[in-house]
Each structure stands twice: as structure tokens, then as C-alpha cells.
């Protein structure tokens, strides 16, 4: 939000507005899109500190919870984790004007995020019977997507009222551009987080404890009672119940005899293949291209023709969430029928096809070029001031022939930004360029006439679909890519890492997955802007190669775990069980 960025020194505001293309002069009230924020010199550093706070917090949280989850139990650990989140969210509400303070708050939230990512899949896998373990885990994700949709709607409304729906009817004068504006919007968003997390903490008291952890902690009577509730039987002497309980108790006795282990046991000969599979799975998860599309989606959508409102609210909050929910609903019925391995393979193959498509169809410029265009746009875009004069440095595809010739202006118009004079279309953020100086016509006809003239040309260009088809297809492909990932390669590793390890090292095995994912995320966020600036859309070649590797991994190395009780997983992983 604008107020958040100004408050923490990420940007300043001089009191003026800009339209969808960054134009800041001669903007009519009904054309205003957002405040004309100017990034500060420390913007990248501050954003990096805030982001790093959350990432490092999640890494620390995963490490801490891998020990705490075995000592306190799964349910108590989740309660503590939820309260930690509430503290972090509330500290953000009360935050002082210091980016270091907000980074600490993000670190605390990261602790909670990393902890939940480790302990939740472990709790679900230990609580739910084998035949429906995948479905219930997917149900967890379906409800999470519902929560994301509702939170997105709430935050989107707050964001819109704060940054787009302005009360002022004209630009105002601000002597100090760094002076804060109304901060109630982002504080309200954090306050809602605090309330939800406290409510969630209270609800956790009514869920059952993990019967497998209870047996491991030698609370056998409570474990049997809990299992009776899970299997909906009133008789503790039920034959099937006793058989399942005996299997869990005997497995706990064996693991308890070995004792609480440390991370080194993850790399002993009988376990290390599973560990390497989890490490590889969570690494390829990030390098498939998802981090690029998720972290830079607003810049990508803006660069391929979407308005700022579409890039920040409509596409990520509405379209992706709804499509993801629909695909997850389909996968919900497939996870225990066809297994984890099949979903991983299908998801990766679809993402591979999309990446191949984007190599050739991605029509946008690298992020640095987009930033350059935004800074240059402080000059009136409908004047004949040259914005680009170095054609050799042009990073968009230069069109060899004009899409239209305007007789009145006497110029050939190209659907790129590679010529001497550039105009940014208001409605779709496309660019029109030409070579002939039209300063005299501007003086004769006036800027308002020329402004209206080029708006008509933009509409004509959009109607002719001379450069909008590839942009819309890229929009669709990215939305589909993110939705497929959220439905397959995000939840399946989440489920898988909590199924394949014995109980004495289950939380540590789950933590290895989270640690690998977050470390790769951090590396990718550092390297991605560099390579994207160098390669542009051809960066998708790298993602394509990783998707091929991921598909081969799904076929060769991934062992199916559907329908296998956790106590029999050791036999399955060693190849002794073909089907259960």
C-alpha cells in the first residue's frame, strides 16, 4: 500500500497522481490511476531487509519446531506457533517508523510460517487413516485457498480504497514528500491477521492430539481413546481398532528404543535416499519457474499489457485463487486414487508445456527496462520528447513494418518502443512508437488534441489485435502455471515429506523440506532479477530444463506412498511392498 511504502521509506509522494502508464502531467481527475510515488534510493535495500526477515524467520522456525514438535507434541506446538504469529502481527500494527522494526516483525511471522509448514503436514499424516490421508491433506489446502480468496478480497478492498479510490479531486502540495499519509489501511490489515490467529489458537484446543505421538510419548491409553474417536467406535476392544493400535504402539516402541534422533540420522544408508528425494523435490519446486511468476507477477502482468489494477488485484487475487481452487477440487478426488507420483508428473508436464510456450510467446521486456520506462514517463507521454534514441539497446521485439500509417500526422506507427518517440496506451499499457518529429503539429493542434488522437489509435490497435493476442495468451499461461503449481507441486511435497520418514525423525524430515524450499527461494530471489535483465523471456528456457528434470524425477526416483500406513512405510521405501 502507498501509505506503507511512504511510512517505511520505500517511496515518497509529492502530492501528484499518475495514470495507468505513469503519465503525471495534464492528468484529468477521471483518468487518475494512483499516486505518483517515487522510489527512494534505499528502496531495494529496505525491501531486501524486510523480505529477508521473513525468509530467515521461516528457516529458523523450521529448525526450532523440528525439536519442539517432538518434545511438546503436535497440537501444543501448533498452538504455540499460532500465538507467535499473533504476536508478530500485532507488533506490526503497533509498528514504529523503522524498517528494522518491521523486519523484526516479519522475522517473527516467518518463525510461525516455517513452523506451520513443518508441523501441520506431520500432524495430518499421523492423525488421518492411510486410505484417506491424501484427500484430507488436500482438503486442508482447499480450505487454505478459500482463506486466501477471502483474505484477498478483504485486503484487495482495503488496498483499493487506500490506493485507487481517492477522496481528493485535485493534486495537493506536499512540502515534505516523505511525510506519512493515513496509515490506518495497512494497520487494519495487520489487525485482522492478529484477530484471526488468536481465534485459530483457540480452535486448536478442541482438535485431537496425534495418536502416534501419544504412543511415542508412552500415553497409550489416551492414544487408544483418540483413535476410537477418529474411527468412530465406542468400544475400545474393537478388533480392527486394536489391530491398528497395536501396529502404531509397536512401531512407537521400536522408534523409542532408538531414541530421539538428530539430523545426522537423515543421512544414514537406510534413510538418505528419502532425504535426498525431499531435498531434490523441494529444490526443483522453486526452480520450475514458480518463484519467478509469484514474486514478480505484478511486473510481468504490467509488462505484457495489464493495467496496474489488474496486475495487483484482479489477476493474482481473483483469477489465480479461483482457478486454483477449481483445480485443487479436481485433484482432491485423484490424490488417493492415482497417487502422489501421478499428480507430480502430470503437474510438471503441464508446467513444462507452459514454459515452452512462454519461450516464444512472452512479449514483455525485462524488469529493468520496465523500470526505466516508468522513470522516463515523468515527461508528458503525448509530446514528441524522445524517450528512446538507442535502437541497439532496445529490449523489446522491434517490428520491421508499421501496424498503421496516420495520414493526418504523416507518421508510420509501430507496436513497440524501439523508435525515437514513444506513446504508452492508457487502457492496455502497450507501446506505440514512431520516428518523425511532430512538435509543430503539437503546437498547432495542442496537447489535448494529440492526447485524444493517440488514445483513438490505441483503441484501433487493440481492436486489430496487432499486439494484444500474445499478451493475453501470456496472461492466461501464467495464471494457469501458477494454478497448476498450487494444485500439484505445492501440496504434494507438503504431504509426501510427512509420510516417508519414521516417527522419531518425522519432524526433522519435514523440516528438511521446508529448509530446502526457503533456501532455494532466497537464492532464486537474488539471482532472478539479474538473469531476467540479461535474458528477458528466454529465461523460460532455464525453467523448461528444470521441468524436464522434475518430470524424470517423478518417474524414476519418487516412490508412491498412497494408501500405505505410516508404520508400513519403511517396508514400502525399501521395496518390500509392491502394493498395499
Amino acid at each position: 500500500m502507498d501509505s506503507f511504502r511512504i511510512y517505511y521509506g520505500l517511496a515518497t509522494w509529492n502530492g501528484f497522481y499518475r495514470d495507468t502508464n505513469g503519465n503525471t502531467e495534464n492528468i484529468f481527475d477521471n483518468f487518475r490511476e494512483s499516486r505518483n510515488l517515487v522510489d527512494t534510493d534505499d528502496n531495494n535495500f529496505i525491501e531486501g531487509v524486510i523480505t529477508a526477515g521473513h525468509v530467515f524467520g521461516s528457516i529458523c522456525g523450521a529448525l526450532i519446531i523440528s525439536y519442539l514438535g517432538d518434545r511438546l507434541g503436535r497440537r501444543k506446538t501448533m498452538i504455540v506457533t499460532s500465538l507467535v504469529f499473533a504476536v508478530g502481527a500485532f507488533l506490526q500494527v503497533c509498528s514504529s517508523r523503522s524498517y528494522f522494526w518491521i523486519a523484526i516483525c516479519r522475522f517473527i511471522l516467518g518463525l510461525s510460517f516455517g513452523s506451520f509448514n513443518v508441523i501441520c503436514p506431520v500432524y495430518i499424516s499421523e492423525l488421518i487413516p492411510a486410505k484417506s490421508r491424501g484427500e484430507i491433506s488436500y482438503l486442508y489446502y482447499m480450505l487454505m485457498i478459500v482463506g486466501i480468496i477471502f483474505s484477498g478480497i478483504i485486503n484487495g478492498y482495503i488496498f483499493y480504497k487506500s490506493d485507487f479510490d481517492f477522496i481528493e479531486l485535485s493534486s495537493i502540495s506536499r512540502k515534505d514528500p516523505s511525510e506519512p499519509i493515513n496509515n490506518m489501511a495497512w494497520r487494519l490489515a495487520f489487525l485482522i491477521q492478529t484477530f484471526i490467529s488468536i481465534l485459530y489458537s483457540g480452535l486448536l484446543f478442541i482438535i485431537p492430539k496425534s495418536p502416534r505421538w501419544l504412543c511415542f510419548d508412552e500415553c497409550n491409553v489416551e492414544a487408544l481413546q483418540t483413535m476410537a474417536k477418529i474411527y468412530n467406535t465406542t468400544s475400545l476392544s474393537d478388533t480392527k481398532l486394536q489391530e491398528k493400535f497395536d501396529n502404531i504402539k509397536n512401531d512407537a516402541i521400536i522408534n523409542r528404543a532408538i531414541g530421539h534422533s538428530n539430523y545426522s540420522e537423515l543421512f544414514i544408508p537406510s534413510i538418505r535416499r528419502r532425504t535426498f528425494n525431499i531435498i531434490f523435490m523441494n529444490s526443483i519446486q522453486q526452480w520450475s519457474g514458480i518463484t519467478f511468476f509469484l514474486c514478480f507477477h505484478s511486473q510481468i502482468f504490467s509488462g505484457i499489457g495489464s493495467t496496474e489494477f489488474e496486475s495487483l488485484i484482479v489477476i493474482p487475487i481473483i483469477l489465480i485463487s479461483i482457478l486454483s481452487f477449481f483445480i485443487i477440487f479436481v485433484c482432491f478426488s485423484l490424490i488417493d486414487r492415482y497417487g502422489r507420483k501421478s499428480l507430480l508428473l502430470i503437474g510438471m508436464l503441464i508446467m513444462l508445456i507452459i514454459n515452452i510456450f512462454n519461450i516464444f510467446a512472452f512479449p514483455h521486456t525485462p524488469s529493468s527496462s520496465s523500470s526505466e520506462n516508468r522513470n522516463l514517463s515523468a515527461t508528458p507521454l503525448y509530446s514528441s520528447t524522445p524517450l528512446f534514441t538507442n535502437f541497439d539497446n532496445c529490449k523489446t521485439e522491434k517490428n520491421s513494418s508499421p501496424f498503421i500509417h496516420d495520414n493526418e500526422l504523416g507518421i508510420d506507427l509501430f507496436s513497440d518502443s524501439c523508435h525515437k518517440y514513444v506513446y504508452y496506451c492508457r487502457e492496455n499499457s502497450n507501446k506505440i512508437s514512431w520516428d518523425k518529429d511532430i512538435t509543430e503539429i503539437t503546437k498547432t493542434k495542442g496537447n489535448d488534441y494529440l492526447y485524444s488522437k493517440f488514445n483513438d489509435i490505441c483503441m484501433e490497435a487493440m481492436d486489430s489485435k496487432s499486439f494484444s493476442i500474445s499478451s493475453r495468451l501470456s496472461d492466461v499461461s501464467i495464471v494457469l502455471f501458477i494454478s497448476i503449481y498450487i494444485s500439484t507441486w505445492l501440496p504434494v511435497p507438503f504431504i509426501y515429506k510427512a509420510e516417508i520418514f519414521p516417527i522419531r525423525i518425522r519432524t526433522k524430515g519435514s523440516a528438511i523440506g521446508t529448509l530446502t524450499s526457503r533456501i532455494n527461494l532466497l537464492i532464486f530471489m537474488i539471482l532472478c532479477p539479474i538473469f531476467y535483465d540479461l535474458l528477458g523471456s528466454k529465461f523460460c528456457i532455464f525453467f523448461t530444463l528444470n521441468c524436464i528434470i522434475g518430470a524424470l524425477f517423478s518417474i524414476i526416483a519418487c516412490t508412491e506412498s498412497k494408501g500405505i500406513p505410516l508404520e508400513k512405510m519403511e517396508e514400502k521405501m525399501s521395496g518390500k511392498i509392491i502394493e498395499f
Side-chain angles (χ1 to χ4, degrees):
M1 297 180 186
D2 290 348
S3 55
F4 182 89
R5 294 181 60 79
I6 295 171
Y7 190 76
Y8 288 108
L10 294 164
T12 59
W13 180 43
N14 61 2
F16 289 88
Y17 297 92
R18 55 181 169 83
D19 63 12
T20 55
N21 308 308
N23 190 6
T24 60
E25 297 187 21
N26 297 334
I27 298 299
F28 303 104
D29 288 332
N30 58 324
F31 286 140
R32 291 182 307 157
E33 178 73 12
S34 56
R35 297 181 181 91
N36 181 44
L37 297 188
V38 178
D39 289 343
T40 61
D41 294 337
D42 297 329
N43 171 68
N44 291 333
F45 173 76
I46 296 173
E47 283 190 343
V49 171
I50 295 174
T51 303
H54 187 274
V55 174
F56 282 112
S58 63
I59 293 173
C60 293
L63 287 171
I64 294 171
I65 220 65
S66 64
Y67 291 97
L68 195 63
D70 289 334
R71 300 299 178 183
L72 294 182
R74 315 320 191 199
R75 190 180 73 172
K76 287 183 180 179
T77 302
M78 287 191 292
I79 294 172
V80 171
T81 299
S82 184
L83 291 175
V84 169
F85 186 94
V87 171
F90 186 71
L91 288 176
Q92 288 184 123
V93 177
C94 307
S95 178
S96 62
R97 196 179 184 188
S98 167
Y99 68 84
F100 184 70
W101 175 275
I102 201 68
I104 293 176
C105 296
R106 297 293 291 173
F107 178 84
I108 296 173
L109 292 175
L111 289 174
S112 177
F113 176 84
S115 301
F116 271 126
N117 202 268
V118 171
I119 202 65
C120 285
V122 170
Y123 173 77
I124 294 172
S125 69
E126 292 180 350
L127 186 71
I128 305 301
K131 65 178 181 180
S132 56
R133 192 170 58 229
E135 289 183 350
I136 299 302
S137 297
Y138 253 88
L139 179 62
Y140 168 85
Y141 265 93
M142 288 176 65
L143 295 176
M144 186 176 71
I145 294 298
V146 171
I148 291 174
I149 293 175
F150 278 104
S151 65
I153 292 172
I154 294 172
N155 290 333
Y157 177 77
I158 296 173
F159 177 55
Y160 175 79
K161 299 297 291 185
S162 171
D163 290 4
F164 290 92
D165 189 17
F166 303 115
I167 299 175
E168 302 93 339
L169 297 178
S170 61
S171 297
I172 59 176
S173 175
R174 281 170 54 88
K175 295 180 180 180
D176 181 8
S178 63
E179 178 188 356
I181 57 178
N182 191 337
N183 294 294
M184 289 304 299
W186 60 266
R187 292 187 190 274
L188 175 61
F190 290 143
L191 187 61
I192 293 174
Q193 285 185 350
T194 306
F195 172 76
I196 295 297
S197 57
I198 293 175
L199 177 62
Y200 180 72
S201 300
L203 292 175
L204 288 175
F205 280 95
I206 65 175
I207 67 173
K209 295 180 180 179
S210 164
R212 287 176 169 86
W213 181 85
L214 288 171
C215 283
F216 188 71
D217 199 44
E218 299 186 88
C219 300
N220 294 331
V221 174
E222 187 177 359
L224 181 61
Q225 293 172 344
T226 301
M227 289 184 65
K229 294 178 181 178
I230 294 173
Y231 289 96
N232 195 27
T233 178
T234 56
S235 175
L236 298 181
S237 59
D238 181 82
T239 305
K240 291 184 178 180
L241 176 64
Q242 281 292 334
E243 181 182 354
K244 295 179 185 297
F245 173 71
D246 289 340
N247 288 333
I248 293 175
K249 183 178 67 173
N250 293 335
D251 181 72
I253 292 173
I254 295 172
N255 280 274
R256 192 167 58 247
I258 299 175
H260 288 281
S261 62
N262 52 40
Y263 278 95
S264 62
E265 191 173 345
L266 292 173
F267 299 95
I268 63 175
S270 61
I271 301 293
R272 64 188 177 198
R273 180 183 175 184
R274 281 171 265 184
T275 304
F276 289 137
N277 279 357
I278 292 299
I279 292 174
F280 185 84
M281 184 183 293
N282 283 273
S283 297
I284 208 71
Q285 181 189 59
Q286 298 297 330
W287 292 92
S288 65
I290 187 60
T291 306
F292 171 65
F293 292 130
L294 281 178
C295 294
F296 302 96
H297 65 266
S298 60
Q299 297 95 317
I300 294 171
F301 290 131
S302 178
I304 59 180
S306 303
T307 65
E308 186 171 2
F309 184 74
E310 291 173 340
S311 301
L312 295 175
I313 296 180
V314 176
I315 296 176
I317 294 178
I318 300 177
L319 294 183
I320 293 177
S321 297
I322 293 177
L323 181 59
S324 298
F325 179 79
F326 173 76
I327 299 177
I328 286 178
F329 186 79
V330 174
C331 293
F332 170 77
S333 61
L334 302 178
I335 181 69
D336 282 325
R337 182 181 301 177
Y338 297 105
R340 289 67 162 141
K341 187 172 181 175
S342 299
L343 286 185
L344 287 175
L345 179 59
I346 293 171
M348 189 57 77
L349 289 176
I350 295 175
M351 292 191 291
L352 170 63
I353 294 172
I354 295 174
N355 275 325
I356 293 174
F357 168 79
N358 280 328
I359 293 174
F360 304 100
F362 227 28
H364 63 84
T365 61
S367 57
S368 62
S369 177
S370 300
S371 176
E372 178 186 1
N373 296 350
R374 176 69 71 187
N375 293 334
L376 288 169
S377 65
T379 305
L381 299 181
Y382 47 83
S383 73
S384 59
T385 304
L387 300 186
F388 292 85
T389 55
N390 185 355
F391 300 158
D392 294 334
N393 196 36
C394 180
K395 294 183 179 180
T396 58
E397 181 181 354
K398 185 175 181 179
N399 294 304
S400 58
S401 59
F403 75 90
I404 191 174
H405 174 81
D406 189 87
N407 293 323
E408 186 175 5
L409 298 177
I411 56 176
D412 290 327
L413 295 162
F414 299 82
S415 58
D416 58 31
S417 56
C418 298
H419 295 263
K420 192 173 184 180
Y421 308 107
V422 181
Y423 180 84
Y424 294 77
C425 296
R426 176 186 303 281
E427 295 299 329
N428 50 35
S429 298
N430 286 304
K431 308 170 187 68
I432 297 174
S433 62
W434 66 97
D435 294 307
K436 181 181 177 181
D437 191 344
I438 56 174
T439 302
E440 294 302 321
I441 300 178
T442 304
K443 292 179 180 179
T444 303
K445 299 288 188 176
N447 282 336
D448 290 342
Y449 165 78
L450 206 60
Y451 189 74
S452 175
K453 177 74 174 178
F454 273 101
N455 279 340
D456 292 339
I457 294 174
C458 284
M459 294 302 297
E460 185 175 347
M462 187 168 61
D463 291 340
S464 65
K465 299 182 180 179
S466 54
F467 49 68
S468 61
I469 293 180
S470 60
S471 297
R472 294 305 100 186
L473 287 176
S474 287
D475 273 347
V476 173
S477 71
I478 295 171
V479 169
L480 181 61
F481 185 97
I482 296 175
S483 300
I484 291 295
Y485 169 83
I486 291 175
S487 307
T488 56
W489 270 83
L490 180 61
V492 174
F494 179 92
I495 298 169
Y496 193 69
K497 67 182 182 180
E499 293 179 321
I500 63 175
F501 293 101
I503 189 170
R504 68 183 183 277
I505 54 171
R506 188 166 293 144
T507 55
K508 294 176 179 61
S510 181
I512 280 290
T514 298
L515 290 171
T516 304
S517 178
R518 302 307 289 177
I519 290 172
N520 277 276
L521 172 63
L522 184 62
I523 295 172
F524 193 90
M525 290 180 67
I526 295 172
L527 297 180
C528 182
I530 299 173
F531 285 102
Y532 182 47
D533 286 343
L534 292 174
L535 301 175
S537 60
K538 298 304 181 287
F539 198 15
C540 292
I541 296 175
F542 176 73
F543 304 144
T544 300
L545 295 175
N546 285 318
C547 285
I548 294 174
I549 296 173
L552 293 175
F553 164 80
S554 302
I555 297 172
I556 299 172
C558 184
T559 303
E560 183 56 66
S561 62
K562 75 177 178 72
I564 308 296
L566 298 184
E567 292 68 41
K568 298 293 183 180
M569 199 64 69
E570 195 74 21
E571 299 175 52
K572 174 68 175 180
M573 289 295 153
S574 63
K576 296 179 181 178
I577 295 180
I578 303 300
E579 200 64 51
F580 192 87

